[in-house]
Amino acid sequence: MTEKKIIAVVGATGAQGGGLVRAILSDASGGFTARAITRNVNSDKARELAQQGAEVVAADVDSLESLKKAFQGAYGAFCVTFFWEHFSPQKEFAQAKAMARAAKDDGLEHVIWSTFEDTRKWVPLSDNRMPTLMGKYKVPHFDAKGDANQVFTELAVPTTFLLTSFYWENLINFGMGPKKGPDGKLAITYPMGDKKLPGIAAEDIGKCAYGIFKKGREFIGQTVGVAGEHLTGAQMAAALTQALNQEVRYNDVPPEVFRSFGFPGADDIGNMFQFKRDFQEVFCRPRHPSVARALNPSLQTFDGWLAQNKSRIPLE
Ligand SMILES: NC(=O)c1ccc[n+]([C@@H]2O[C@H](COP(=O)([O-])OP(=O)(O)OC[C@H]3O[C@@H](n4cnc5c(N)ncnc54)[C@H](OP(=O)(O)O)[C@@H]3O)[C@@H](O)[C@H]2O)c1
């Protein structure tokens, strides 16, 4: 019997990593096993992964030594950072650096780094169309991830750079779902104009990552973008109207209005939407759904995702 290749998965109890762990475990003959990394091996989610057949190990992305231990003996690793836990791009960069260093020191053969564009390549800090945030970023939760790509490259870690898309789950648990306006009508509010927003079921990101690992060396050194569909706000509202059986409108607001909404990170997310709106081609081109579907044949469309998840969307 050939030995299975171990994939160490950061964020295994979360959305992206969890999808990857489940994809590995559901393919018993695929040649891979999942090592789920968590800060707390005794949490309910960690125990559930262990019951499903994952090896569960403790590590913290703030600790290089713990990462080195957790990656030891693995063939590959899935690396992701958690911006919304701390809102610090500097911290995110340091965590990416630690994962790259651990992967290098442990001699891993394939790493997937879940990243984004460094938007400052297209919107330099001197470009006043959107405010500079935290002193040196335009979209903090994108820019540090993109900036960290160079660390993987400089250390010669065999890396696939995975560009992810807006989770449709944001409609459920990130306050981006339909809300009732003063007129009592439901609307989704994104500053996207008539431009398309690449979106994806979060679980599909992990499934696509598994598809990348299964391809062996093919995607090492490559950037791979994944999306389930590219939809305008109006198209998303039409799909929601159909699925929920009640009218949902698309409320297009200027990015500066979105940035002023006041929730934590509103300025960052306002800039993110503006980047996606103003650089539609740059953002959509590398995330073609056909690429994601080739890696993950069960890739969901927005309609398919809504059919499964519509009852989970809070209608405030
Ligand atoms: N929301 C979106 O639309 C979207 C789209 C694309 C990309 N993203 C990006 O996705 C990233 C987050 O990934 P996700 O959504 O998969 O995360 P998630 O679902 O929030 O899960 C995070 C998991 O990571 C673990 N974790 C948190 N801090 C850790 C640390 N210091 N060391 C080790 N593990 C830690 C936690 O597990 P334990 O408690 O078990 O340790 C948690 O379950 C963010 O950086 C965000 O920018 C978001």
Side-chain angles (χ1 to χ4, degrees), residues 233-298:
Q235 288 171 325
M236 289 179 74
L240 282 158
T241 298
Q242 184 82 23
L244 299 171
N245 205 20
Q246 57 178 308
E247 188 184 9
V248 178
R249 295 176 183 181
Y250 168 53
N251 185 20
D252 175 32
V253 290
E256 51 275 22
V257 170
F258 192 95
R259 283 190 282 269
S260 74
F261 281 166
F263 62 85
D267 48 2
D268 185 337
I269 293 173
N271 283 8
M272 173 198 81
F273 277 124
Q274 188 176 351
F275 176 72
K276 293 179 185 183
R277 185 194 73 176
D278 293 357
F279 296 87
Q280 174 83 144
E281 169 64 12
V282 164
F283 195 76
C284 284
R285 195 179 348 101
R287 292 172 167 80
H288 204 283
S290 63
V291 172
R293 189 156 284 111
L295 293 166
N296 161 26
S298 66

Short mmCIF file of all heavy atoms in Angstrom, two decimals, residues 233-298:
data_model
loop_
_atom_site.label_atom_id
_atom_site.label_comp_id
_atom_site.label_asym_id
_atom_site.label_seq_id
_atom_site.Cartn_x
_atom_site.Cartn_y
_atom_site.Cartn_z
N GLY A 233 -24.98 43.19 -8.87
CA GLY A 233 -25.88 43.33 -7.73
C GLY A 233 -27.32 43.09 -8.17
O GLY A 233 -28.11 42.45 -7.45
N ALA A 234 -27.67 43.58 -9.35
CA ALA A 234 -29.04 43.39 -9.86
C ALA A 234 -29.33 41.91 -10.08
O ALA A 234 -30.43 41.42 -9.78
CB ALA A 234 -29.22 44.19 -11.15
N GLN A 235 -28.34 41.18 -10.60
CA GLN A 235 -28.54 39.74 -10.82
C GLN A 235 -28.66 38.99 -9.49
O GLN A 235 -29.46 38.07 -9.36
CB GLN A 235 -27.38 39.16 -11.65
CG GLN A 235 -27.43 39.60 -13.11
CD GLN A 235 -26.16 39.22 -13.86
OE1 GLN A 235 -25.05 39.22 -13.32
NE2 GLN A 235 -26.32 38.88 -15.14
N MET A 236 -27.86 39.41 -8.50
CA MET A 236 -27.97 38.76 -7.19
C MET A 236 -29.35 39.04 -6.58
O MET A 236 -29.98 38.14 -6.01
CB MET A 236 -26.86 39.26 -6.25
CG MET A 236 -25.48 38.74 -6.64
SD MET A 236 -24.17 39.34 -5.56
CE MET A 236 -24.46 38.36 -4.07
N ALA A 237 -29.81 40.28 -6.73
CA ALA A 237 -31.14 40.64 -6.18
C ALA A 237 -32.23 39.84 -6.88
O ALA A 237 -33.17 39.36 -6.22
CB ALA A 237 -31.37 42.14 -6.34
N ALA A 238 -32.11 39.64 -8.19
CA ALA A 238 -33.11 38.87 -8.92
C ALA A 238 -33.12 37.42 -8.45
O ALA A 238 -34.19 36.82 -8.26
CB ALA A 238 -32.84 38.95 -10.42
N ALA A 239 -31.94 36.87 -8.23
CA ALA A 239 -31.86 35.48 -7.75
C ALA A 239 -32.44 35.35 -6.34
O ALA A 239 -33.14 34.39 -6.03
CB ALA A 239 -30.41 35.00 -7.77
N LEU A 240 -32.17 36.35 -5.50
CA LEU A 240 -32.72 36.34 -4.14
C LEU A 240 -34.25 36.47 -4.18
O LEU A 240 -34.96 35.79 -3.42
CB LEU A 240 -32.11 37.50 -3.33
CG LEU A 240 -30.69 37.25 -2.81
CD1 LEU A 240 -29.98 38.56 -2.49
CD2 LEU A 240 -30.71 36.35 -1.56
N THR A 241 -34.74 37.34 -5.06
CA THR A 241 -36.19 37.52 -5.20
C THR A 241 -36.86 36.19 -5.52
O THR A 241 -37.86 35.80 -4.91
CB THR A 241 -36.49 38.54 -6.33
OG1 THR A 241 -35.89 39.80 -5.95
CG2 THR A 241 -37.97 38.71 -6.57
N GLN A 242 -36.25 35.50 -6.47
CA GLN A 242 -36.77 34.20 -6.91
C GLN A 242 -36.72 33.18 -5.76
O GLN A 242 -37.71 32.50 -5.46
CB GLN A 242 -35.90 33.72 -8.08
CG GLN A 242 -36.33 32.44 -8.74
CD GLN A 242 -37.43 32.71 -9.76
OE1 GLN A 242 -37.56 33.82 -10.25
NE2 GLN A 242 -38.23 31.70 -10.02
N ALA A 243 -35.57 33.10 -5.11
CA ALA A 243 -35.38 32.06 -4.08
C ALA A 243 -36.23 32.32 -2.84
O ALA A 243 -36.78 31.40 -2.25
CB ALA A 243 -33.90 32.00 -3.69
N LEU A 244 -36.33 33.61 -2.45
CA LEU A 244 -37.04 33.94 -1.21
C LEU A 244 -38.53 34.16 -1.45
O LEU A 244 -39.30 34.32 -0.51
CB LEU A 244 -36.44 35.19 -0.56
CG LEU A 244 -34.96 35.09 -0.16
CD1 LEU A 244 -34.42 36.44 0.27
CD2 LEU A 244 -34.78 34.07 0.97
N ASN A 245 -38.88 34.22 -2.73
CA ASN A 245 -40.28 34.43 -3.10
C ASN A 245 -40.82 35.75 -2.56
O ASN A 245 -41.97 35.85 -2.15
CB ASN A 245 -41.12 33.24 -2.60
CG ASN A 245 -42.37 33.09 -3.43
OD1 ASN A 245 -42.44 33.59 -4.56
ND2 ASN A 245 -43.38 32.43 -2.87
N GLN A 246 -39.93 36.72 -2.46
CA GLN A 246 -40.34 38.09 -2.15
C GLN A 246 -39.31 39.05 -2.74
O GLN A 246 -38.14 38.70 -2.87
CB GLN A 246 -40.51 38.32 -0.65
CG GLN A 246 -39.31 38.03 0.20
CD GLN A 246 -39.60 38.33 1.67
OE1 GLN A 246 -40.05 39.41 2.02
NE2 GLN A 246 -39.34 37.37 2.52
N GLU A 247 -39.78 40.24 -3.07
CA GLU A 247 -38.91 41.15 -3.81
C GLU A 247 -37.68 41.58 -3.00
O GLU A 247 -37.79 41.97 -1.85
CB GLU A 247 -39.69 42.40 -4.23
CG GLU A 247 -38.88 43.26 -5.16
CD GLU A 247 -39.56 44.57 -5.53
OE1 GLU A 247 -40.61 44.90 -4.94
OE2 GLU A 247 -39.01 45.26 -6.41
N VAL A 248 -36.53 41.45 -3.64
CA VAL A 248 -35.28 41.98 -3.08
C VAL A 248 -34.70 42.91 -4.14
O VAL A 248 -34.55 42.52 -5.30
CB VAL A 248 -34.27 40.86 -2.75
CG1 VAL A 248 -32.97 41.45 -2.22
CG2 VAL A 248 -34.84 39.87 -1.74
N ARG A 249 -34.40 44.14 -3.74
CA ARG A 249 -33.84 45.10 -4.68
C ARG A 249 -32.33 45.19 -4.50
O ARG A 249 -31.80 44.84 -3.45
CB ARG A 249 -34.45 46.48 -4.45
CG ARG A 249 -35.91 46.50 -4.75
CD ARG A 249 -36.49 47.85 -4.40
NE ARG A 249 -37.92 47.82 -4.62
CZ ARG A 249 -38.71 48.86 -4.43
NH1 ARG A 249 -38.21 50.00 -3.99
NH2 ARG A 249 -40.00 48.77 -4.65
N TYR A 250 -31.71 45.72 -5.53
CA TYR A 250 -30.28 46.03 -5.43
C TYR A 250 -30.16 47.53 -5.22
O TYR A 250 -30.66 48.33 -6.03
CB TYR A 250 -29.55 45.60 -6.70
CG TYR A 250 -28.13 46.16 -6.78
CD1 TYR A 250 -27.23 45.98 -5.74
CD2 TYR A 250 -27.71 46.85 -7.91
CE1 TYR A 250 -25.95 46.49 -5.81
CE2 TYR A 250 -26.42 47.37 -7.99
CZ TYR A 250 -25.55 47.19 -6.93
OH TYR A 250 -24.28 47.69 -6.99
N ASN A 251 -29.51 47.90 -4.14
CA ASN A 251 -29.33 49.30 -3.79
C ASN A 251 -27.86 49.65 -4.04
O ASN A 251 -27.00 49.27 -3.26
CB ASN A 251 -29.72 49.44 -2.31
CG ASN A 251 -29.70 50.84 -1.80
OD1 ASN A 251 -29.76 51.79 -2.60
ND2 ASN A 251 -29.62 50.99 -0.50
N ASP A 252 -27.61 50.32 -5.13
CA ASP A 252 -26.24 50.74 -5.45
C ASP A 252 -25.96 52.05 -4.73
O ASP A 252 -26.71 53.01 -4.88
CB ASP A 252 -26.12 50.91 -6.97
CG ASP A 252 -24.76 51.45 -7.37
OD1 ASP A 252 -23.77 51.14 -6.68
OD2 ASP A 252 -24.69 52.17 -8.39
N VAL A 253 -24.91 52.05 -3.91
CA VAL A 253 -24.54 53.31 -3.23
C VAL A 253 -23.12 53.68 -3.62
O VAL A 253 -22.32 52.79 -3.96
CB VAL A 253 -24.62 53.17 -1.68
CG1 VAL A 253 -26.05 53.05 -1.21
CG2 VAL A 253 -23.78 52.00 -1.17
N PRO A 254 -22.78 54.94 -3.57
CA PRO A 254 -21.38 55.30 -3.84
C PRO A 254 -20.47 54.70 -2.76
O PRO A 254 -20.89 54.55 -1.61
CB PRO A 254 -21.37 56.84 -3.75
CG PRO A 254 -22.80 57.25 -3.84
CD PRO A 254 -23.61 56.11 -3.29
N PRO A 255 -19.23 54.33 -3.13
CA PRO A 255 -18.32 53.73 -2.14
C PRO A 255 -18.16 54.59 -0.89
O PRO A 255 -18.05 54.07 0.22
CB PRO A 255 -17.00 53.61 -2.90
CG PRO A 255 -17.38 53.59 -4.34
CD PRO A 255 -18.62 54.40 -4.47
N GLU A 256 -18.16 55.93 -1.06
CA GLU A 256 -17.96 56.77 0.13
C GLU A 256 -19.13 56.65 1.11
O GLU A 256 -18.95 56.75 2.32
CB GLU A 256 -17.68 58.24 -0.23
CG GLU A 256 -18.64 58.91 -1.17
CD GLU A 256 -18.32 58.67 -2.65
OE1 GLU A 256 -17.62 57.68 -2.99
OE2 GLU A 256 -18.81 59.47 -3.47
N VAL A 257 -20.31 56.38 0.58
CA VAL A 257 -21.47 56.17 1.46
C VAL A 257 -21.29 54.83 2.20
O VAL A 257 -21.47 54.74 3.41
CB VAL A 257 -22.79 56.19 0.65
CG1 VAL A 257 -23.96 55.73 1.50
CG2 VAL A 257 -23.04 57.59 0.08
N PHE A 258 -20.88 53.79 1.46
CA PHE A 258 -20.67 52.48 2.09
C PHE A 258 -19.61 52.59 3.19
O PHE A 258 -19.77 52.05 4.28
CB PHE A 258 -20.25 51.44 1.03
CG PHE A 258 -20.30 50.04 1.54
CD1 PHE A 258 -21.42 49.24 1.35
CD2 PHE A 258 -19.23 49.50 2.26
CE1 PHE A 258 -21.47 47.94 1.85
CE2 PHE A 258 -19.27 48.21 2.75
CZ PHE A 258 -20.39 47.43 2.55
N ARG A 259 -18.52 53.31 2.87
CA ARG A 259 -17.42 53.44 3.86
C ARG A 259 -17.90 54.12 5.14
O ARG A 259 -17.33 53.91 6.21
CB ARG A 259 -16.27 54.28 3.25
CG ARG A 259 -15.41 53.53 2.27
CD ARG A 259 -14.17 54.31 1.90
NE ARG A 259 -14.41 55.37 0.94
CZ ARG A 259 -14.32 55.23 -0.39
NH1 ARG A 259 -13.96 54.07 -0.90
NH2 ARG A 259 -14.57 56.25 -1.18
N SER A 260 -18.96 54.94 5.02
CA SER A 260 -19.42 55.69 6.19
C SER A 260 -20.42 54.90 7.03
O SER A 260 -20.95 55.41 8.00
CB SER A 260 -20.06 57.01 5.73
OG SER A 260 -21.33 56.73 5.16
N PHE A 261 -20.70 53.64 6.67
CA PHE A 261 -21.73 52.88 7.38
C PHE A 261 -21.37 52.62 8.85
O PHE A 261 -22.23 52.31 9.66
CB PHE A 261 -22.04 51.56 6.67
CG PHE A 261 -22.95 51.72 5.47
CD1 PHE A 261 -23.10 50.69 4.55
CD2 PHE A 261 -23.66 52.89 5.26
CE1 PHE A 261 -23.93 50.82 3.44
CE2 PHE A 261 -24.50 53.04 4.15
CZ PHE A 261 -24.64 52.00 3.25
N GLY A 262 -20.08 52.66 9.16
CA GLY A 262 -19.71 52.68 10.57
C GLY A 262 -19.46 51.34 11.23
O GLY A 262 -18.95 51.28 12.34
N PHE A 263 -19.77 50.23 10.56
CA PHE A 263 -19.45 48.94 11.20
C PHE A 263 -17.94 48.72 11.11
O PHE A 263 -17.27 49.31 10.26
CB PHE A 263 -20.25 47.79 10.57
CG PHE A 263 -19.98 47.54 9.11
CD1 PHE A 263 -18.92 46.73 8.71
CD2 PHE A 263 -20.78 48.12 8.12
CE1 PHE A 263 -18.67 46.49 7.36
CE2 PHE A 263 -20.53 47.89 6.77
CZ PHE A 263 -19.47 47.09 6.40
N PRO A 264 -17.38 47.89 11.98
CA PRO A 264 -15.92 47.70 11.96
C PRO A 264 -15.47 47.19 10.59
O PRO A 264 -16.01 46.21 10.08
CB PRO A 264 -15.68 46.64 13.04
CG PRO A 264 -16.91 46.65 13.89
CD PRO A 264 -18.04 47.10 13.03
N GLY A 265 -14.53 47.87 9.99
CA GLY A 265 -14.01 47.45 8.68
C GLY A 265 -14.81 47.99 7.49
O GLY A 265 -14.52 47.63 6.35
N ALA A 266 -15.78 48.89 7.75
CA ALA A 266 -16.61 49.40 6.64
C ALA A 266 -15.76 50.14 5.61
O ALA A 266 -16.01 50.05 4.40
CB ALA A 266 -17.70 50.33 7.17
N ASP A 267 -14.73 50.85 6.09
CA ASP A 267 -13.88 51.59 5.15
C ASP A 267 -13.07 50.63 4.28
O ASP A 267 -12.95 50.79 3.05
CB ASP A 267 -12.97 52.60 5.87
CG ASP A 267 -12.24 52.01 7.07
OD1 ASP A 267 -12.39 50.80 7.35
OD2 ASP A 267 -11.49 52.76 7.73
N ASP A 268 -12.55 49.58 4.90
CA ASP A 268 -11.78 48.55 4.18
C ASP A 268 -12.68 47.86 3.14
O ASP A 268 -12.32 47.71 1.96
CB ASP A 268 -11.26 47.55 5.24
CG ASP A 268 -10.33 46.48 4.70
OD1 ASP A 268 -10.38 46.19 3.51
OD2 ASP A 268 -9.56 45.92 5.50
N ILE A 269 -13.86 47.47 3.56
CA ILE A 269 -14.75 46.75 2.63
C ILE A 269 -15.29 47.69 1.54
O ILE A 269 -15.44 47.29 0.39
CB ILE A 269 -15.88 46.04 3.42
CG1 ILE A 269 -15.25 44.93 4.28
CG2 ILE A 269 -16.92 45.43 2.49
CD1 ILE A 269 -16.19 44.27 5.22
N GLY A 270 -15.51 48.95 1.91
CA GLY A 270 -15.92 49.94 0.89
C GLY A 270 -14.85 50.09 -0.18
O GLY A 270 -15.14 50.10 -1.38
N ASN A 271 -13.60 50.15 0.25
CA ASN A 271 -12.49 50.24 -0.71
C ASN A 271 -12.39 48.96 -1.54
O ASN A 271 -12.12 48.99 -2.74
CB ASN A 271 -11.17 50.49 0.01
CG ASN A 271 -11.00 51.94 0.46
OD1 ASN A 271 -11.93 52.74 0.36
ND2 ASN A 271 -9.82 52.28 0.95
N MET A 272 -12.63 47.82 -0.88
CA MET A 272 -12.58 46.54 -1.59
C MET A 272 -13.62 46.52 -2.72
O MET A 272 -13.30 46.18 -3.87
CB MET A 272 -12.85 45.38 -0.62
CG MET A 272 -13.00 44.03 -1.31
SD MET A 272 -13.81 42.77 -0.29
CE MET A 272 -15.55 43.21 -0.52
N PHE A 273 -14.85 46.90 -2.39
CA PHE A 273 -15.88 46.89 -3.43
C PHE A 273 -15.50 47.87 -4.55
O PHE A 273 -15.70 47.59 -5.73
CB PHE A 273 -17.24 47.27 -2.85
CG PHE A 273 -17.99 46.14 -2.19
CD1 PHE A 273 -18.43 46.23 -0.88
CD2 PHE A 273 -18.31 44.98 -2.91
CE1 PHE A 273 -19.15 45.20 -0.28
CE2 PHE A 273 -19.03 43.95 -2.32
CZ PHE A 273 -19.45 44.06 -1.00
N GLN A 274 -14.98 49.02 -4.16
CA GLN A 274 -14.62 50.01 -5.18
C GLN A 274 -13.53 49.46 -6.11
O GLN A 274 -13.57 49.67 -7.32
CB GLN A 274 -14.17 51.32 -4.54
CG GLN A 274 -13.99 52.42 -5.58
CD GLN A 274 -13.63 53.77 -4.98
OE1 GLN A 274 -13.67 53.95 -3.75
NE2 GLN A 274 -13.30 54.71 -5.83
N PHE A 275 -12.58 48.76 -5.52
CA PHE A 275 -11.53 48.14 -6.34
C PHE A 275 -12.16 47.15 -7.33
O PHE A 275 -11.85 47.14 -8.52
CB PHE A 275 -10.49 47.44 -5.45
CG PHE A 275 -9.45 46.70 -6.22
CD1 PHE A 275 -8.47 47.38 -6.93
CD2 PHE A 275 -9.44 45.31 -6.27
CE1 PHE A 275 -7.51 46.70 -7.68
CE2 PHE A 275 -8.49 44.62 -7.00
CZ PHE A 275 -7.52 45.32 -7.71
N LYS A 276 -13.06 46.31 -6.82
CA LYS A 276 -13.69 45.31 -7.69
C LYS A 276 -14.53 46.00 -8.77
O LYS A 276 -14.65 45.50 -9.89
CB LYS A 276 -14.57 44.37 -6.86
CG LYS A 276 -13.76 43.49 -5.90
CD LYS A 276 -14.67 42.58 -5.07
CE LYS A 276 -13.85 41.80 -4.05
NZ LYS A 276 -14.66 40.86 -3.27
N ARG A 277 -15.14 47.13 -8.43
CA ARG A 277 -15.96 47.87 -9.40
C ARG A 277 -15.08 48.56 -10.45
O ARG A 277 -15.31 48.42 -11.65
CB ARG A 277 -16.80 48.92 -8.65
CG ARG A 277 -17.76 49.67 -9.54
CD ARG A 277 -18.31 50.91 -8.84
NE ARG A 277 -17.29 51.97 -8.75
CZ ARG A 277 -17.51 53.18 -8.26
NH1 ARG A 277 -18.71 53.51 -7.79
NH2 ARG A 277 -16.55 54.09 -8.20
N ASP A 278 -14.06 49.25 -9.98
CA ASP A 278 -13.26 50.07 -10.90
C ASP A 278 -12.24 49.26 -11.71
O ASP A 278 -11.76 49.72 -12.73
CB ASP A 278 -12.50 51.17 -10.12
CG ASP A 278 -13.44 52.20 -9.52
OD1 ASP A 278 -14.67 52.11 -9.75
OD2 ASP A 278 -12.96 53.10 -8.80
N PHE A 279 -11.92 48.07 -11.21
CA PHE A 279 -10.95 47.21 -11.91
C PHE A 279 -11.58 45.85 -12.20
O PHE A 279 -10.99 44.79 -11.95
CB PHE A 279 -9.65 47.08 -11.07
CG PHE A 279 -8.95 48.38 -10.91
CD1 PHE A 279 -9.27 49.23 -9.87
CD2 PHE A 279 -8.01 48.80 -11.85
CE1 PHE A 279 -8.66 50.48 -9.74
CE2 PHE A 279 -7.39 50.04 -11.74
CZ PHE A 279 -7.71 50.88 -10.68
N GLN A 280 -12.80 45.94 -12.73
CA GLN A 280 -13.61 44.76 -13.02
C GLN A 280 -12.86 43.69 -13.78
O GLN A 280 -12.83 42.52 -13.41
CB GLN A 280 -14.83 45.26 -13.84
CG GLN A 280 -15.71 44.21 -14.35
CD GLN A 280 -16.70 43.75 -13.31
OE1 GLN A 280 -17.81 43.45 -13.61
NE2 GLN A 280 -16.30 43.69 -12.08
N GLU A 281 -12.20 44.10 -14.84
CA GLU A 281 -11.52 43.15 -15.70
C GLU A 281 -10.33 42.50 -14.96
O GLU A 281 -10.16 41.28 -14.99
CB GLU A 281 -11.08 43.92 -16.97
CG GLU A 281 -10.14 43.22 -17.91
CD GLU A 281 -10.75 41.97 -18.54
OE1 GLU A 281 -11.97 41.77 -18.42
OE2 GLU A 281 -9.96 41.20 -19.13
N VAL A 282 -9.56 43.33 -14.28
CA VAL A 282 -8.41 42.84 -13.51
C VAL A 282 -8.86 41.82 -12.47
O VAL A 282 -8.21 40.81 -12.23
CB VAL A 282 -7.71 44.03 -12.80
CG1 VAL A 282 -6.77 43.57 -11.69
CG2 VAL A 282 -6.98 44.90 -13.81
N PHE A 283 -10.00 42.09 -11.83
CA PHE A 283 -10.45 41.25 -10.74
C PHE A 283 -11.16 39.99 -11.23
O PHE A 283 -10.99 38.91 -10.65
CB PHE A 283 -11.37 42.03 -9.79
CG PHE A 283 -11.55 41.34 -8.48
CD1 PHE A 283 -10.54 41.35 -7.52
CD2 PHE A 283 -12.71 40.63 -8.20
CE1 PHE A 283 -10.68 40.66 -6.32
CE2 PHE A 283 -12.85 39.94 -7.00
CZ PHE A 283 -11.84 39.96 -6.06
N CYS A 284 -11.95 40.12 -12.29
CA CYS A 284 -12.74 38.96 -12.75
C CYS A 284 -11.91 37.98 -13.58
O CYS A 284 -12.10 36.77 -13.49
CB CYS A 284 -13.94 39.43 -13.58
SG CYS A 284 -15.27 40.09 -12.58
N ARG A 285 -11.02 38.52 -14.40
CA ARG A 285 -10.32 37.65 -15.36
C ARG A 285 -9.63 36.44 -14.70
O ARG A 285 -9.81 35.31 -15.16
CB ARG A 285 -9.32 38.46 -16.19
CG ARG A 285 -8.84 37.70 -17.42
CD ARG A 285 -7.86 38.45 -18.31
NE ARG A 285 -7.70 39.87 -18.06
CZ ARG A 285 -6.68 40.41 -17.40
NH1 ARG A 285 -5.72 39.66 -16.90
NH2 ARG A 285 -6.60 41.71 -17.22
N PRO A 286 -8.87 36.62 -13.61
CA PRO A 286 -8.20 35.44 -13.04
C PRO A 286 -9.11 34.51 -12.24
O PRO A 286 -8.63 33.53 -11.70
CB PRO A 286 -7.13 36.06 -12.13
CG PRO A 286 -7.56 37.43 -11.87
CD PRO A 286 -8.51 37.86 -12.92
N ARG A 287 -10.40 34.84 -12.15
CA ARG A 287 -11.30 34.03 -11.32
C ARG A 287 -12.40 33.40 -12.17
O ARG A 287 -13.57 33.45 -11.81
CB ARG A 287 -11.96 34.91 -10.24
CG ARG A 287 -11.00 35.42 -9.20
CD ARG A 287 -11.68 36.42 -8.29
NE ARG A 287 -10.91 36.70 -7.09
CZ ARG A 287 -9.88 37.53 -7.04
NH1 ARG A 287 -9.48 38.17 -8.11
NH2 ARG A 287 -9.23 37.72 -5.89
N HIS A 288 -12.03 32.82 -13.29
CA HIS A 288 -13.09 32.31 -14.16
C HIS A 288 -13.72 31.05 -13.58
O HIS A 288 -13.00 30.12 -13.21
CB HIS A 288 -12.54 32.03 -15.57
CG HIS A 288 -13.63 32.08 -16.59
ND1 HIS A 288 -14.53 31.05 -16.74
CD2 HIS A 288 -14.01 33.06 -17.43
CE1 HIS A 288 -15.41 31.39 -17.66
NE2 HIS A 288 -15.12 32.61 -18.11
N PRO A 289 -15.05 31.00 -13.49
CA PRO A 289 -15.70 29.82 -12.90
C PRO A 289 -15.32 28.51 -13.60
O PRO A 289 -15.32 27.45 -12.97
CB PRO A 289 -17.20 30.11 -13.06
CG PRO A 289 -17.28 31.60 -13.07
CD PRO A 289 -16.04 32.08 -13.76
N SER A 290 -14.96 28.58 -14.88
CA SER A 290 -14.61 27.33 -15.57
C SER A 290 -13.34 26.70 -14.96
O SER A 290 -13.21 25.48 -14.93
CB SER A 290 -14.42 27.58 -17.07
OG SER A 290 -13.34 28.44 -17.27
N VAL A 291 -12.44 27.55 -14.48
CA VAL A 291 -11.21 27.04 -13.84
C VAL A 291 -11.59 26.34 -12.54
O VAL A 291 -11.14 25.22 -12.24
CB VAL A 291 -10.24 28.21 -13.57
CG1 VAL A 291 -9.06 27.75 -12.73
CG2 VAL A 291 -9.78 28.84 -14.87
N ALA A 292 -12.46 27.00 -11.76
CA ALA A 292 -12.89 26.41 -10.49
C ALA A 292 -13.65 25.11 -10.72
O ALA A 292 -13.48 24.14 -9.97
CB ALA A 292 -13.75 27.42 -9.73
N ARG A 293 -14.48 25.09 -11.77
CA ARG A 293 -15.29 23.88 -12.03
C ARG A 293 -14.41 22.71 -12.47
O ARG A 293 -14.70 21.56 -12.15
CB ARG A 293 -16.39 24.19 -13.06
CG ARG A 293 -17.38 23.07 -13.21
CD ARG A 293 -18.74 23.50 -13.74
NE ARG A 293 -19.54 24.16 -12.74
CZ ARG A 293 -19.86 25.44 -12.74
NH1 ARG A 293 -19.43 26.23 -13.72
NH2 ARG A 293 -20.59 25.97 -11.79
N ALA A 294 -13.34 23.02 -13.18
CA ALA A 294 -12.43 21.95 -13.59
C ALA A 294 -11.74 21.33 -12.36
O ALA A 294 -11.47 20.13 -12.33
CB ALA A 294 -11.38 22.50 -14.56
N LEU A 295 -11.49 22.15 -11.35
CA LEU A 295 -10.86 21.64 -10.12
C LEU A 295 -11.87 20.97 -9.21
O LEU A 295 -11.53 20.09 -8.42
CB LEU A 295 -10.23 22.81 -9.35
CG LEU A 295 -9.04 23.49 -10.02
CD1 LEU A 295 -8.73 24.82 -9.33
CD2 LEU A 295 -7.82 22.57 -9.98
N ASN A 296 -13.13 21.41 -9.32
CA ASN A 296 -14.17 20.99 -8.37
C ASN A 296 -15.48 20.87 -9.15
O ASN A 296 -16.24 21.83 -9.24
CB ASN A 296 -14.26 22.05 -7.26
CG ASN A 296 -15.55 21.99 -6.47
OD1 ASN A 296 -16.19 20.94 -6.38
ND2 ASN A 296 -15.95 23.11 -5.91
N PRO A 297 -15.74 19.70 -9.71
CA PRO A 297 -16.91 19.55 -10.58
C PRO A 297 -18.24 19.82 -9.88
O PRO A 297 -19.23 20.10 -10.55
CB PRO A 297 -16.82 18.09 -11.04
CG PRO A 297 -15.39 17.71 -10.84
CD PRO A 297 -14.90 18.50 -9.67
N SER A 298 -18.28 19.79 -8.54
CA SER A 298 -19.56 20.06 -7.86
C SER A 298 -19.71 21.55 -7.51
O SER A 298 -20.57 21.91 -6.69
CB SER A 298 -19.69 19.20 -6.61
OG SER A 298 -18.72 19.57 -5.66
#
